């Protein structure tokens, strides 16, 4: 290609596609390059197939509440795991197809192959050199697998291979109990697999609030054994594996490694850019513009190793695409932090985490869902919500939770935090009866009780009935 491009986008995942959408508004002199299968990590091996598996697992698990509802015959139900996995792949393929459509129409401007940087503004792809005024790196990430484990072959699974299985074994260990590990461990257990969860971190699922962590560990521990705060060693044992944790040896058929993902930046040529690289090979990146040093280069999505979430990757792509088509990069204010783990109960964090608070200036409101009315009617009465507010103003700062419908409450709280609302502001809002969000109101009321009393004529002062059916 003899022309000098305005923008070259390396990577066609969520960040790359978001960048493409913005770049196309301003120029047609671009290419998008992708190494490996087209379609985003989210659609192929991440968010969507995992949630499809979780939905099947939760549907089957609900049989355990049938007797309480007066429904008989639950013991006769079986889970056809091959059929579950076929549905996962069928829906997955639909999700992937919808992302691929975006690039199929680009013709020669969509290039398959592995790109390598040669210098600022220069890259090589398939033996051809391209020149671009701006380069966006959105190469995504890959599962972390310790090198010694590669010898385990098919006995070791990652989320890149889990959903390709046509069947699953009777016994599995899940190593790594961050968000993905917790989701998959619970889902596999609910499908009827004997699961053991292992994590070197004493906390789980990205939680930092010790009380929420304690409740989450207790609830998950009722479903499958957890080994936390200890390093696990793997050794082959015939067709299976032995997992050693301290003095305990656990025999399993397969292991799912959920140890996180690392940016796909090896052999990318970042060392040719003339900027310093850190111990992980990462160049300096401005978090507000995503610009690499002072170069006309931007890193977006999982590739920049900042916040590996789809909505953040999409924002990254927008920022990178926007700044790649402007003469001077613009600083962006980022969204209120929001993270959700699709366990049951949902685990979520909105706004500031517990560990990031100034506890000398922070109040905490708490609600437990053991006796929450709506939760009891649905046999989901378990979990805890903790909300954080500024001691002087009552402004909402953040929340951590492990509660039913936490994915919705987290969104509501993120909106309130983004708008700088106070405890009283939220208590002025209507809470319909009976809904699970009444538990959120309980936590807000425990916060309000710690703040100076407001006007009695203000509906924010409306108190609770002290009756489980009504609060």
């Amino acid at each position: 290609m003899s022309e000098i491009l305005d923008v070259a986008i390396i990577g066609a995942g969520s960040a790359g596609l978001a960048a493409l959408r913005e770049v196309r508004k301003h120029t047609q002199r671009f290419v998008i390059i992708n190494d490996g299968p087209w379609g985003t990590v989210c659609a192929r091996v991440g968010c969507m197939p995992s949630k499809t598996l979780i939905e099947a697992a939760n549907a089957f698990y609900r049989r355990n509440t049938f007797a309480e509802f007066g429904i008989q015959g639950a013991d006769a139900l079986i889970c056809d795991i091959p059929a579950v996995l076929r549905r996962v792949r069928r829906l997955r393929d639909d999700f992937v197809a919808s992302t691929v459509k975006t690039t199929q129409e680009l013709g020669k401007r969509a290039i398959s192959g592995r790109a390598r940087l040669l210098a600022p503004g220069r890259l090589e792809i398939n033996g051809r050199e391209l020149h671009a005024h701006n380069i966006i790196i959105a190469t995504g990430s890959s599962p972390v697998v310790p090198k010694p484990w590669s010898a385990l072959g098919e006995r070791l699974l990652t989320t890149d291979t889990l959903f390709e299985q046509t069947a699953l074994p009777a016994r599995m260990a899940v190593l790594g109990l961050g968000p993905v590990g917790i989701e998959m461990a619970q889902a596999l257990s609910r499908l009827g697999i004997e699961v053991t969860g292992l994590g070197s971190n004493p906390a789980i699922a990205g939680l930092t609030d010790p009380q929420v962590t304690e409740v989450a560990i207790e609830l998950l521990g009722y479903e499958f054994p957890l080994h936390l705060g200890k390093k696990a060693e793997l050794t082959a044992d015939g067709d299976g594996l032995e997992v050693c944790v301290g003095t305990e040896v656990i025999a399993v058929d397969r292991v799912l490694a959920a140890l996180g993902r690392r940016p796909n930046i090896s052999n990318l040529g970042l060392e040719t850019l003339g900027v310093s690289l850190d111990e992980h090979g990462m160049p300096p990146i401005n978090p507000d513009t995503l610009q690499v040093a002072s170069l006309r280069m931007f890193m977006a999505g999982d590739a920049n190793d900042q916040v590996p979430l789809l909505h953040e990757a999409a924002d990254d792509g927008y920022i990178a695409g926007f700044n790649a088509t402007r003469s001077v990069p613009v600083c962006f204010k980022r969204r209120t932090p929001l993270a959700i783990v699709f366990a049951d109960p949902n685990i979520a964090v909105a706004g500031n985490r517990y560990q990031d608070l100034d506890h000398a200036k922070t109040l905490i409101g708490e609600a437990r869902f053991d006796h929450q009315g709506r939760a009891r009617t649905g046999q989901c009465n378990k979990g805890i919500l903790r909300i954080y507010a500024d001691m002087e103003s009552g402004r909402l700062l953040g929340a951590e939770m492990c509660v039913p419908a936490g994915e919705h409450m987290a969104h509501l709280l993120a909106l309130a935090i983004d708008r700088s609302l106070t405890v009283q502001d939220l208590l002025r809002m209507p809470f319909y009866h009976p809904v699970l969000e009444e538990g959120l109101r309980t936590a807000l009321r425990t916060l309000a009780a710690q703040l100076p009393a407001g006007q009695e004529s203000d509906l924010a002062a409306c108190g609770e009935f002290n009756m489980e059916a009504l609060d």
Side-chain angles (χ1 to χ4, degrees):
M1 184 175 293
S2 58
E3 68 173 317
I4 298 178
L5 302 164
D6 288 327
V7 184
I9 303 169
I10 307 174
S14 299
L17 292 180
L20 172 67
R21 183 174 62 244
E22 186 62 21
V23 166
R24 293 180 73 180
K25 296 176 184 178
H26 302 278
T27 180
Q28 293 301 307
R29 296 200 308 164
F30 67 84
V31 294
I32 184 166
I33 302 164
N34 194 66
D35 182 28
W38 292 74
T40 67
V41 165
C42 169
R44 284 192 298 106
V45 297
C47 317
M48 302 312 293
S50 67
K51 302 313 168 287
T52 308
L53 188 74
I54 289 168
E55 291 291 350
N58 289 345
F60 185 53
Y61 189 75
R62 287 206 70 190
R63 75 194 186 284
N64 294 310
T65 66
F66 284 1
E68 177 66 24
F69 285 116
I71 303 169
Q72 305 302 319
D75 292 342
L77 295 175
I78 61 171
C79 182
D80 183 344
I81 290 180
V84 169
L85 294 170
R86 285 195 296 272
R87 177 177 183 265
V88 169
R89 288 191 292 275
R90 184 175 72 252
L91 289 181
R92 183 274 313 276
D93 291 345
D94 284 345
F95 297 135
V96 169
S98 69
T99 66
V100 171
K101 283 181 182 178
T102 304
T103 51
Q104 282 179 332
E105 64 184 37
L106 296 177
K108 293 181 179 180
R109 287 177 295 178
I111 305 171
S112 294
R114 186 171 182 81
R116 178 172 173 78
L117 300 167
L118 301 175
R122 293 172 53 213
L123 63 152
E124 186 268 337
I125 173 73
N126 300 334
R128 193 165 51 128
E129 184 173 331
L130 302 181
H131 295 255
H133 293 302
N134 298 273
I135 295 176
I136 297 172
I137 299 173
T139 46
S141 61
S142 299
V144 172
V145 178
K147 286 184 179 180
W149 295 3
S150 60
L152 299 174
E154 294 181 355
R155 287 170 290 201
L156 180 72
L157 301 174
T158 69
T159 50
D160 280 7
T161 58
L162 174 65
F163 307 116
E164 300 305 320
Q165 306 303 303
T166 57
L168 294 172
R171 305 168 303 171
M172 292 185 67
V174 176
L175 270 61
L177 295 177
V180 173
I182 286 295
E183 288 181 353
M184 291 298 92
Q186 186 181 51
L188 293 169
S189 174
R190 290 186 166 196
L191 289 171
I193 294 166
E194 184 182 324
V195 170
T196 302
L198 305 105
S200 58
N201 192 325
I204 63 170
L207 291 169
T208 67
D209 188 310
Q211 293 199 41
V212 180
T213 299
E214 180 181 4
V215 170
I217 290 172
E218 179 184 10
L219 293 176
L220 289 165
Y222 291 139
E223 298 191 37
F224 55 92
L226 296 167
H227 299 265
L228 300 172
K230 298 178 182 178
K231 185 178 180 180
E233 300 290 343
L234 302 182
T235 56
D237 181 31
D239 293 333
L241 294 156
E242 286 187 344
V243 183
C244 300
V245 187
T247 58
E248 188 170 357
V249 178
I250 304 160
V252 298
D253 303 302
R254 295 285 185 275
V255 165
L256 173 64
L259 303 174
R261 300 178 71 90
R262 63 165 55 96
N264 291 330
I265 59 172
S266 62
N267 300 316
L268 185 59
L270 292 172
E271 70 280 359
T272 68
L273 301 179
V275 300
S276 61
L277 304 179
D278 66 16
E279 64 273 21
H280 303 294
M282 189 71 68
I285 304 167
N286 184 319
D288 300 318
T289 65
L290 301 184
Q291 185 176 18
V292 176
S294 60
L295 303 176
R296 294 300 305 181
M297 178 173 290
F298 305 87
M299 290 189 76
D302 286 7
N304 66 30
D305 203 25
Q306 293 183 10
V307 186
L309 298 171
L310 182 135
H311 71 278
E312 295 284 357
D315 287 349
D316 275 9
Y318 175 79
I319 294 169
F322 184 96
N323 282 332
T325 54
R326 266 69 177 183
S327 57
V328 178
V330 174
C331 291
F332 280 76
K333 179 184 176 182
R334 302 307 294 256
R335 301 180 197 269
T336 296
L338 177 63
I340 299 171
V341 180
F342 294 89
D344 178 21
N346 293 158
I347 296 171
V349 179
N352 289 292
R353 296 177 183 271
Y354 178 90
Q355 70 177 12
D356 299 325
L357 299 168
D358 181 347
H359 292 280
K361 300 178 181 179
T362 303
L363 299 175
I364 299 177
E366 179 180 306
R368 293 185 180 250
F369 280 66
D370 306 65
H371 301 289
Q372 205 271 339
R374 178 62 185 274
R376 289 179 65 191
T377 68
Q379 284 298 109
C380 59
N381 51 313
K382 53 189 177 182
I384 181 174
L385 166 65
R386 301 247 291 170
I387 305 177
Y388 319 123
D390 180 77
M391 183 180 292
E392 294 187 1
S393 65
R395 182 172 58 87
L396 294 164
L397 301 175
E400 294 194 27
M401 66 195 78
C402 176
V403 293
E407 60 182 290
H408 306 299
M409 293 190 213
H411 276 90
L412 177 60
L413 286 168
L415 174 62
I417 294 165
D418 183 73
R419 297 295 182 265
S420 298
L421 299 184
T422 66
V423 172
Q424 290 82 1
D425 289 332
L426 265 195
L427 283 173
R428 291 186 190 101
M429 303 295 180
F431 285 81
Y432 204 78
H433 176 76
V435 294
L436 291 166
E437 284 77 6
E438 287 176 301
L440 185 154
R441 184 180 60 185
T442 298
L444 291 168
R445 282 172 169 166
T446 65
L447 273 170
Q450 302 172 64
L451 292 164
Q455 296 287 332
E456 290 187 2
S457 59
D458 186 343
L459 284 177
C462 178
E464 56 192 348
F465 284 94
N466 290 317
M467 290 181 250
E468 291 175 359
L470 300 178
D471 293 324

